[in-house]
Every structure is written in structure tokens, then in C-alpha cells.
Amino acid sequence: QVICVAIATDFDGNSTTSTSSSVTVDNTIPQVSNVSLNTLVPTTSDVISVSATSFDSNGDSVTLNYEWHVVDASNGNQDLVVYSGNGTLFSSLDGQSYFDKDDEVYVRVTPNDGIDNGITVESDHAVVQNSAPTTPTISLSSSSNPPMEAVDDLTCSITSTSSDADGD
């Protein structure tokens, strides 16, 4: 609360005091800007993280709340909140746990100064791309070593299969 006091004094030393009524100074809401994802073309094996700039004109400490959304391509493009919370622990989203190929991913960031929430800002939307399969392990063998040209057959065998994070 703020009050104003004025004291008027004349040349003879006489004075009067006047006091204003009090005014309560409200909290200003915190702000968040520059909300951006580290990639807009992730694959299912990537971790998407967000960066943001926060500001509070009162100088209060600002905590950011993250609300991660996945527009699920395999479920009729249903927009789902898949992960949310306050602080840097929630500033990234792991594709292996939360999104698949063709899904759309974005985050909404809301600043809080311990008193009020600021205006929520939404990031750009990332579209999850196809992941390349892992490389299989193969071996080449023959019935004799070294094999003889036009005599021995060569056999190529897969000793370790490949996998695909997208399930393709």
C-alpha cells in the first residue's frame, strides 16, 4: 500500500499536514516469450525440448508450467495432453514414450510469479517424421576358406536383425 503525505509550512513556521488515502499496488502478471522447440521435424527416437524467456516487471521469480500436447494421428487426430508440470524437469518430451510417426507435438507454456499466472504461449507444432531402421548385422561364409571361384558357394546370413522405432 502507498500513501502520500504533504506538509505545508509558511514563513512564520506554521504548518499543516495532509495525508492521502492509501492505494494498493497490484501485482503485474509475469510474461513468457520466445517459446520455441529444438526441432520441428523430430523422429520417434528424439527428445523434443522447449526454450522460453520469462520476465516479471515486479522482479518476482518466475516458474514456468509446461503442458505438452500430442495430436494423435492414429486416433483420429485427437489432441491429448500427455505430460505437464512446473519447472525444467517438464521442459522436454521423450518420443519413445509419448509420440509416434505422423503425430503433431506442441507445448503450451504458462509463467507464474508465485501470485498470478501470466498469459499462456503456444510453441510451433512439430510433425513427427519416419525413423530409419537400425542396421542389421550380416556375415559372409563359404564351405572352404578361402572359397574357390566357380566352385564354392557363398552364403550371406543375417546374424542380428534390424528394428524400427516406428514399428514399420
Side-chain angles (χ1 to χ4, degrees):
Q1 290 190 348
V2 177
I3 60 169
C4 179
V5 176
I7 301 173
T9 306
D10 65 15
F11 289 111
D12 293 330
N14 297 317
S15 64
T16 60
T17 302
S18 179
T19 304
S20 70
S21 57
S22 66
V23 175
T24 301
V25 178
D26 287 336
N27 182 51
T28 58
I29 62 171
Q31 299 172 356
V32 66
S33 60
N34 302 321
V35 175
S36 59
L37 300 176
N38 66 328
T39 180
L40 295 179
V41 287
T43 63
T44 54
S45 56
D46 287 338
V47 174
I48 300 176
S49 60
V50 64
S51 61
T53 304
S54 62
F55 174 76
D56 184 82
S57 62
N58 300 100
D60 296 329
S61 178
V62 177
T63 301
L64 299 178
N65 177 274
Y66 302 94
E67 182 182 89
W68 288 93
H69 290 249
V70 172
V71 179
D72 189 351
S74 66
N75 193 15
N77 290 325
Q78 185 177 7
D79 190 331
L80 306 169
V81 175
V82 295
Y83 190 59
S84 64
N86 293 320
T88 57
L89 176 66
F90 296 92
S91 65
S92 61
L93 189 68
D94 187 346
Q96 292 182 339
S97 300
Y98 292 103
F99 51 83
D100 297 315
K101 177 177 68 173
D102 299 325
D103 287 346
E104 195 173 316
V105 179
Y106 66 97
V107 62
R108 291 182 175 156
V109 181
T110 306
N112 181 284
D113 65 1
I115 300 168
D116 293 311
N117 283 335
I119 296 170
T120 299
V121 175
E122 186 173 299
S123 72
D124 287 336
H125 292 215
V127 177
V128 182
Q129 305 297 303
N130 184 47
S131 297
T134 61
T135 305
T137 306
I138 58 172
S139 68
L140 186 62
S141 61
S142 164
S143 57
S144 62
N145 193 6
M148 295 187 61
E149 183 178 340
V151 173
D152 294 318
D153 290 331
L154 296 176
T155 304
C156 182
S157 302
I158 298 174
T159 57
S160 172
T161 62
S162 63
S163 63
D164 188 280
D166 303 317
D168 296 337

